[in-house]
Amino acid sequence: MINNTVFMEQLDKYYTVWQECNYVYGEWAKMHDLSINSLLVLSAIYEGKRDCTQKKISQRWMIPKQTTNMVLKDFEKKGFVELLPLQEDKRNKRICFTAAGKEYADAIISQLRKVELSVVEEMGMERMKQMNDALALFTELFAKIGGTSNG
């Protein structure tokens, strides 16, 4: 069994790093006149291509539907997105970039990816893989032991 003091120190370190990671992404978003939620929604639409709905964005990034809706309304007002009814389910709408929105997203997301890729390059692919593997294992075990669903 792990010494409780060592365990708590490591758990506190995990909390701190997690919060710092969220903070630096939030600050990066602010530097680009976005909230963290706006950046996440923009990224989800960008990655989702033609298969993007408000529900999928909310689930992927764990953003409340109301918050996602506010961000989408703002993007729509700015002329960045269109919300088109789905053929199979008229209650849901497919979210698509307008030409201006695509250009805007290309600029923002390419800058973000450039920073992220530089970070991965500097830390090394092996460390990145180890970080991802360790976090995936932590999440899997937490879901198992904590009785939550993992996906």
Side-chain angles (χ1 to χ4, degrees), residues 11-89:
L11 201 52
D12 285 345
K13 173 88 174 162
Y14 166 72
Y15 297 151
T16 300
V17 171
W18 180 20
Q19 290 166 340
E20 287 173 354
C21 185
N22 288 330
Y23 176 80
V24 297
Y25 270 89
E27 289 300 299
W28 190 92
K30 266 193 234 176
M31 286 175 19
H32 295 83
D33 296 321
L34 292 165
S35 68
I36 187 63
N37 288 327
S38 296
L39 179 62
L40 295 174
V41 170
L42 190 72
S43 177
I45 299 167
Y46 191 81
E47 293 165 1
K49 306 287 186 235
R50 299 187 51 79
D51 189 32
C52 188
T53 65
Q54 181 177 328
K55 182 177 180 179
K56 287 180 181 180
I57 294 170
S58 294
Q59 288 174 336
R60 171 156 168 65
W61 291 108
M62 294 186 296
I63 303 170
K65 285 182 191 174
Q66 202 172 347
T67 303
T68 304
N69 189 50
M70 278 181 12
V71 170
L72 289 172
K73 293 269 185 239
D74 182 55
F75 284 166
E76 195 173 26
K77 189 173 80 178
K78 290 176 178 173
F80 291 162
V81 298
E82 295 177 305
L83 282 66
L84 308 169
L86 289 173
Q87 297 295 70
E88 60 276 11
D89 181 1

Side-chain angles (χ1 to χ4, degrees), residues 67-125:
T67 303
T68 304
N69 189 50
M70 278 181 12
V71 170
L72 289 172
K73 293 269 185 239
D74 182 55
F75 284 166
E76 195 173 26
K77 189 173 80 178
K78 290 176 178 173
F80 291 162
V81 298
E82 295 177 305
L83 282 66
L84 308 169
L86 289 173
Q87 297 295 70
E88 60 276 11
D89 181 1
K90 302 284 187 210
R91 293 172 301 160
N92 285 308
K93 296 184 183 338
R94 183 168 55 92
I95 302 157
C96 301
F97 282 125
T98 61
K102 175 86 171 88
E103 187 177 317
Y104 175 73
D106 281 341
I108 296 290
I109 301 303
S110 67
Q111 288 178 56
L112 177 61
R113 295 300 177 251
K114 185 177 179 182
V115 171
E116 291 170 327
L117 290 172
S118 293
V119 169
V120 172
E121 224 172 72
E122 191 158 320
M123 73 186 282
M125 190 51 70

